[in-house]
C-alpha cells in the first residue's frame, strides 16, 4: 500500500502559522496516534492520518496504514473541497468530477478510491489548520453514524492538540517565572551579603522590587515586617505594618494551606527566620475583597558577615493560572480517556455486529445458491452460471457443453427402499458427480428430483462425450444396490450431452478445446445448435440426448450429435420434456 500511496498531498495556504507549528510538536504522541487508529477502526478504512498545514506543506501526524512525509499542496485531495467547509465524504473518487482528475486518484501519483475528512479548526480560528482524513484504495461508503463518530474523533484531536499547545505555552510561562524568581533570589542573595550597601541604595532597590511581578517580603531579626513590595501590596490588599505582632501575620494577611481552607500553621517567612529550609512551599492568599492566589514560596535567613542574624526574606511566585490550567488539562485528559474508552467499546460492538451480519449473509448466500439435500448448486445457481458461461462463450468464441443426468428407475428405488434411503442415494450420486467434474470452471447442479445438470465451459462435443461416459462409469462403480430391479441390480445413471460452438473472434483467440476431454488441437467439434440461440435451448438439446440414452437401455451416455436424426435446434424449443422413469 505504501507503493500505491507514497505520501499524501497537502492543502493550500502557504502562510506560516505559529499555532500549526505548535501542533506539529505533537508528532509521535501516543494519545494522538491512538485517536487516529480509532478513526481508522470506526470507518474500516485502510489508512488514516492527521494533516497539519504549514507554509505550503502538509505534514502528517500519527499516520496509520502508510509511511508519510511532508508533501506539497498543489495536488492534495484535502484541498479539493476544503473551501466548502464541513465534513467531506467521497465514497468513490472516480464518480466525482472534482476528484476524478486529481493526481492521487487518476494514477499519476496514486489510485485512491475512497476519501473522507473533517476539518480541524482551533477555537477562535476562522479557517482550519488541518484535517482528520481516512482513505482507502477501494470504494467505501460511511453511514451517518460513522461520519458523526469521525467528527467526534476530530473534536478530540483538536482538544488534544490545543491541550498540548497550551501545556507548552504554560511550560514556557513557568520557565520564564522560574528565571524571574532565580533572578530575584540572586538579587536577594547579593542584598543579604551586602546589608550596608542595601541601606545606601534602598531607593534603587525599592524601584526594582516594585517593578517585578513577584511578591517579596522581608522581616527583621524579631520577625517584624520591613519590606512589602508592590506585588505583595496588590495581592494582599494591605500595606506594610512594621508594628504588627508576627503571631498575627497568618490571620491578618489571610494565609492558608495549599487546600485553600485550612489556616496556615507555619508562615514561610517565620520558618526562614528560624533557619529552616523554605523551597517551593505552596500556600494560598485569600483576601476577602480580592481574588485568591495560589503562590509558591522560597526564602532564606539573612545574616551579617560575622554571623549576626539580620532577618529573613521570602519570594512568592503566582502560580494560580498555571495550577488552574493544569487542573483543566487533567479534566480534559480524563474526559478524552473516557470518550476514547467509550469509542473503543462502540467500535468493538459494531465490529462484533458486522461479523455476525457477515456470517448470517454467508449462510443466507449458501442457502440461496445450494441445494439443501445434496449440497450441490441449485436450479437458480445453475441458470445464472449457464447464462454467464453462454455469454462468455459468445464473446470469446469456443465450445460450451451441457450434460443432463438422470438416476435410472429412481421411482422404483424410492418405492422399495423408502424416501430416506432415496435421499441418501441422491447424496451419494451427487458426491460422485462432483468428484468427476472437479475442474475449476465446471458446475454440477441438482436440476430437480433425481435429475442433475453439468456445465462444461471450453469443452467441445468430444470432451463432453468423454466426461459423460466417466460419470456413467463412476456411478456404476459405486455399486449401490437397487432392490427394486432385482437382487443383483445396482443404481445407474443415464447422461445426455449437447454442445454449442461459437467461432473465435479475429484477434485474441482462445483455444476452443481446452476443457476436460477436449479434442486435440486442430480438430473441429460437431455443433448441433445454432450459436444465436439461447442457453435454455442447449439444456433442451441435452435433455433430448438424455431421453435417447434412456430409450437405448439406460446406464449410458449419448451426445445429441450422435442421434440418428437430430431435430433442428430451433425445433427443440417446442418439444415437451419426456417423462423419466
Amino acid at each position: 500500500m505504501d507503493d500505491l500511496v507514497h505520501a499524501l498531498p497537502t492543502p493550500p495556504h502557504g502562510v506560516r502559522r505559529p499555532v500549526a507549528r505548535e501542533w506539529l510538536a505533537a508528532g509521535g504522541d501516543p494519545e494522538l496516534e491512538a485517536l487516529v487508529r480509532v478513526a481508522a477502526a470506526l470507518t474500516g478504512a485502510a489508512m488514516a492520518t492527521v494533516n497539519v498545514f504549514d507554509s505550503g506543506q502538509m505534514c502528517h501526524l500519527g499516520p496509520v496504514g502508510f509511511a508519510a512525509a511532508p508533501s506539497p499542496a498543489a495536488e492534495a485531495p484535502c484541498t479539493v473541497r476544503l473551501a466548502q467547509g464541513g465534513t467531506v465524504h467521497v465514497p468513490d473518487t472516480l464518480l466525482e468530477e472534482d476528484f476524478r482528475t486529481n493526481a492521487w486518484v487518476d494514477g499519476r501519483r496514486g489510485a485512491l478510491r475512497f476519501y473522507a475528512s473533517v476539518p480541524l479548526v482551533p477555537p477562535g480560528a476562522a479557517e482550519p489548520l488541518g484535517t482528520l482524513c481516512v482513505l482507502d484504495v477501494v470504494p467505501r461508503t460511511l453511514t451517518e453514524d460513522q461520519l458523526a463518530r469521525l467528527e467526534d474523533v476530530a473534536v478530540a484531536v483538536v482538544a488534544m492538540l490545543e491541550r498540548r499547545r497550551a501545556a507548552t505555552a504554560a511550560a514556557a510561562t513557568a520557565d520564564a517565572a522560574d528565571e524571574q524568581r532565580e533572578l530575584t533570589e540572586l538579587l536577594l542573595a547579593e542584598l543579604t551579603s551586602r546589608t550596608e550597601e542595601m541601606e545606601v541604595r534602598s531607593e534603587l532597590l525599592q524601584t526594582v522590587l516594585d517593578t517585578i511581578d513577584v511578591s517579596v517580603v522581608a522581616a527583621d531579626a524579631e520577625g517584624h515586617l520591613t519590606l512589602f513590595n508592590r506585588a505583595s501590596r496588590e495581592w494582599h490588599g494591605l500595606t506594610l505594618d512594621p508594628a504588627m505582632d508576627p503571631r498575627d501575620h497568618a490571620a491578618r494577611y489571610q494565609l492558608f494551606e495549599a487546600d485553600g481552607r485550612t489556616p496556615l500553621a507555619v508562615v514561610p517567612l517565620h520558618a526562614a527566620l528560624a533557619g529552616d529550609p523554605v523551597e517551593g512551599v505552596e500556600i494560598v492568599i485569600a483576601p476577602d475583597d480580592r481574588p485568591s492566589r495560589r503562590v509558591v514560596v522560597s526564602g532564606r535567613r539573612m545574616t551579617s558577615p560575622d554571623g549576626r542574624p539580620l532577618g529573613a526574606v521570602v519570594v512568592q511566585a503566582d502560580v494560580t493560572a498555571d495550577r488552574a490550567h493544569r487542573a483543566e488539562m487533567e479534566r480534559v485528559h480524563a474526559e478524552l480517556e473516557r470518550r476514547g474508552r467509550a469509542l473503543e467499546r462502540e467500535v468493538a460492538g459494531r465490529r462484533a455486529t458486522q461479523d455476525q451480519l457477515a456470517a448470517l449473509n454467508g449462510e443466507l448466500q449458501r442457502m440461496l445458491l445450494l441445494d439443501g439435500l445434496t449440497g450441490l448448486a441449485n436450479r437458480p445457481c445453475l441458470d445464472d452460471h449457464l447464462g454467464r458461461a453462454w455469454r462468455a462463450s459468445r464473446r470469446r468464441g469456443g465450445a460450451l457443453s451441457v450434460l443432463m443426468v438422470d438416476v435410472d428407475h429412481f421411482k422404483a428405488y424410492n418405492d422399495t427402499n423408502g424416501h430416506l434411503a432415496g435421499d441418501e442415494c441422491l447424496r451419494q450420486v451427487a458426491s460422485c458427480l462432483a468428484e468427476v467434474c472437479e475442474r475449476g470452471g465446471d458446475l454440477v447442479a441438482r436440476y430437480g428430483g433425481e435429475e442433475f445438470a453439468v456445465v462444461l465451459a471450453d469443452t467441445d462435443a468430444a470432451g463432453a462425450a468423454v466426461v459423460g461416459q466417466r460419470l456413467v462409469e463412476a456411478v456404476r462403480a459405486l455399486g449401490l444396490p437397487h432392490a427394486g430391479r432385482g437382487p443383483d441390480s445396482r443404481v445407474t445413471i443415464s447422461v445426455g450431452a449437447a454442445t454449442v460452438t461459437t467461432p473465435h473472434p479475429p484477434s485474441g483467440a482462445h483455444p476452443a478445446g481446452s476443457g476436460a476431454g477436449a479434442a486435440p488441437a486442430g480438430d473441429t467439434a460437431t455443433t448441433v445448435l445454432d450459436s444465436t440461440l439461447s442457453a435454455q435451448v442447449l439444456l433442451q438439446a441435452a435433455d433430448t440426448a438424455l431421453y435417447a440414452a434412456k430409450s437405448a437401455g439406460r446406464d449410458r451416455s449419448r451426445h445429441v450429435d450422435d442421434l440418428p436424426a437430430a431435430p433442428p435446434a430451433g425445433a427443440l424449443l417446442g418439444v415437451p420434456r419426456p417423462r423419466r422413469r
Side-chain angles (χ1 to χ4, degrees):
M1 191 170 293
D2 291 345
D3 294 335
L4 179 64
V5 185
H6 305 289
L8 297 179
T10 59
H13 313 306
V15 180
R16 292 173 60 90
R17 297 177 175 86
V19 174
R21 290 293 175 86
E22 293 171 0
W23 276 16
L24 290 176
D29 188 293
E31 182 179 346
L32 178 63
E33 293 176 351
L35 289 173
V36 176
R37 288 196 299 272
V38 168
L42 276 172
T43 59
M47 296 171 283
T49 183
V50 169
N51 301 317
V52 177
F53 310 155
D54 180 46
S55 302
Q57 295 282 310
M58 183 165 70
C59 302
H60 309 281
L61 303 182
V64 170
F66 68 96
S71 52
E75 298 171 337
C78 286
T79 67
V80 175
R81 297 182 183 174
L82 186 65
Q84 298 178 12
T87 299
V88 176
H89 177 212
V90 183
D92 191 342
T93 56
L94 295 183
L95 301 181
E96 300 294 334
E97 185 64 29
D98 50 352
F99 274 84
R100 185 165 56 241
T101 57
N102 186 271
W104 294 92
V105 175
D106 63 12
R108 286 177 290 161
R109 290 184 176 271
L112 293 177
R113 291 293 301 277
F114 163 74
Y115 173 83
S117 67
V118 180
L120 303 178
V121 184
E127 61 180 358
L129 296 186
T131 58
L132 171 62
C133 294
V134 290
L135 316 100
D136 212 329
V137 295
V138 296
R140 187 178 297 279
T141 300
L142 301 183
T143 64
E144 291 295 327
D145 190 57
Q146 285 178 307
L147 290 172
R149 298 291 76 77
L150 185 62
E151 291 170 352
D152 289 344
V153 175
V155 172
V157 168
V158 171
M160 179 267 165
L161 292 174
E162 283 296 288
R163 173 170 58 81
R164 177 74 177 265
R165 183 176 70 85
T168 301
T173 301
D175 290 342
D178 289 341
E179 291 177 1
Q180 193 172 31
R181 183 168 61 253
E182 290 173 2
L183 177 63
T184 303
E185 290 175 352
L186 290 173
L187 176 60
L188 291 176
E190 180 68 12
L191 292 174
T192 301
S193 64
R194 302 176 62 180
T195 306
E196 291 81 3
E197 185 178 350
M198 286 176 55
E199 294 175 354
V200 175
R201 304 177 62 181
S202 60
E203 184 177 352
L204 175 61
L205 175 60
Q206 190 63 46
T207 301
V208 172
L209 294 175
D210 285 346
T211 300
I212 61 177
D213 291 325
V214 176
S215 170
V216 180
V217 181
D220 59 20
E222 286 72 34
H224 295 99
L225 299 180
T226 58
L227 176 62
F228 214 63
N229 73 338
R230 176 193 58 81
S232 301
R233 295 190 296 273
E234 291 179 354
W235 293 1
H236 291 277
L238 298 171
T239 58
L240 176 66
D241 185 357
M244 184 184 301
D245 188 330
R247 291 173 296 183
D248 297 332
H249 285 168
R252 183 71 178 87
Y253 290 101
Q254 296 180 289
L255 306 179
F256 295 87
E257 300 287 352
D259 61 10
R261 298 183 300 273
T262 307
L264 193 63
V266 179
V267 177
L269 180 63
H270 299 169
L273 188 60
D276 297 331
V278 178
E279 186 68 35
V281 177
E282 189 167 321
I283 66 172
V284 175
I285 302 172
D288 293 334
D289 58 347
R290 293 170 186 264
S292 62
R293 293 176 184 269
R294 187 172 296 273
V295 299
V296 173
V297 186
S298 297
R300 65 182 62 183
R301 181 170 60 176
M302 298 183 294
T303 58
S304 65
D306 60 2
R308 180 172 50 88
L310 299 176
V313 62
V314 294
V315 178
Q316 304 178 123
D318 187 356
V319 295
T320 305
D322 176 71
R323 296 297 187 268
H325 180 74
R326 183 183 302 176
E328 177 62 16
M329 290 302 99
E330 290 175 354
R331 185 195 67 78
V332 171
H333 182 70
E335 177 64 16
L336 286 175
E337 286 186 342
R338 184 191 66 79
R339 291 189 180 185
R341 289 191 297 270
L343 283 173
E344 289 175 356
R345 289 193 298 269
E346 183 175 349
V347 168
R350 290 177 179 273
R351 186 170 296 154
T353 300
Q354 290 173 352
D355 292 343
Q356 293 174 358
L357 289 175
L360 290 174
N361 185 59
E363 178 64 17
L364 179 60
Q365 290 294 326
R366 190 191 69 79
M367 294 172 62
L368 290 174
L369 298 178
L370 298 183
D371 176 60
L373 174 63
T374 64
L376 297 178
N378 59 15
R379 180 66 181 273
C381 182
L382 169 67
D383 292 341
D384 178 71
H385 183 86
L386 179 58
R388 286 187 284 108
W390 179 275
R391 291 190 293 274
S393 176
R394 294 293 303 277
R395 285 196 309 272
R396 300 194 308 263
L400 173 65
S401 294
V402 170
L403 309 182
M404 290 297 294
V405 180
D406 186 81
V407 180
D408 296 330
H409 300 292
F410 188 70
K411 182 179 184 303
Y413 188 96
N414 262 347
D415 293 343
T416 303
N417 299 287
H419 289 285
L420 293 180
D423 289 347
E424 178 59 27
C425 175
L426 290 178
R427 279 192 286 266
Q428 293 192 48
V429 171
S431 178
C432 181
L433 299 180
E435 289 179 3
V436 174
C437 302
E438 59 181 359
R439 196 174 54 148
D442 298 341
L443 177 75
V444 180
R446 187 181 182 193
Y447 192 80
E450 68 274 21
E451 289 185 294
F452 302 88
V454 181
V455 180
L456 302 173
D458 296 324
T459 302
D460 56 19
V466 170
V467 174
Q469 187 59 34
R470 288 178 183 172
L471 294 177
V472 170
E473 294 172 355
V475 172
R476 186 189 301 148
L478 288 177
L480 298 176
H482 195 323
R485 296 177 56 200
D488 297 326
S489 296
R490 296 291 182 264
V491 172
T492 60
I493 61 171
S494 297
V495 179
T499 303
V500 62
T501 302
T502 302
H504 291 292
S507 62
H510 299 277
S514 60
D523 287 357
T524 302
T526 302
T527 302
V528 172
L529 302 181
D530 187 328
S531 63
T532 62
L533 299 177
S534 71
Q536 293 302 316
V537 177
L538 188 58
L539 277 173
Q540 185 66 63
D543 198 63
T544 299
L546 172 61
Y547 181 73
K550 283 190 168 292
S551 299
R554 298 180 173 82
D555 190 22
R556 67 196 63 217
S557 174
R558 296 293 298 272
H559 195 288
V560 73
D561 288 10
D562 301 328
L563 301 186
L572 294 174
L573 287 171
V575 176
R577 284 177 56 86
R579 294 180 58 191
R580 303 277 183 261
R581 291 184 59 186

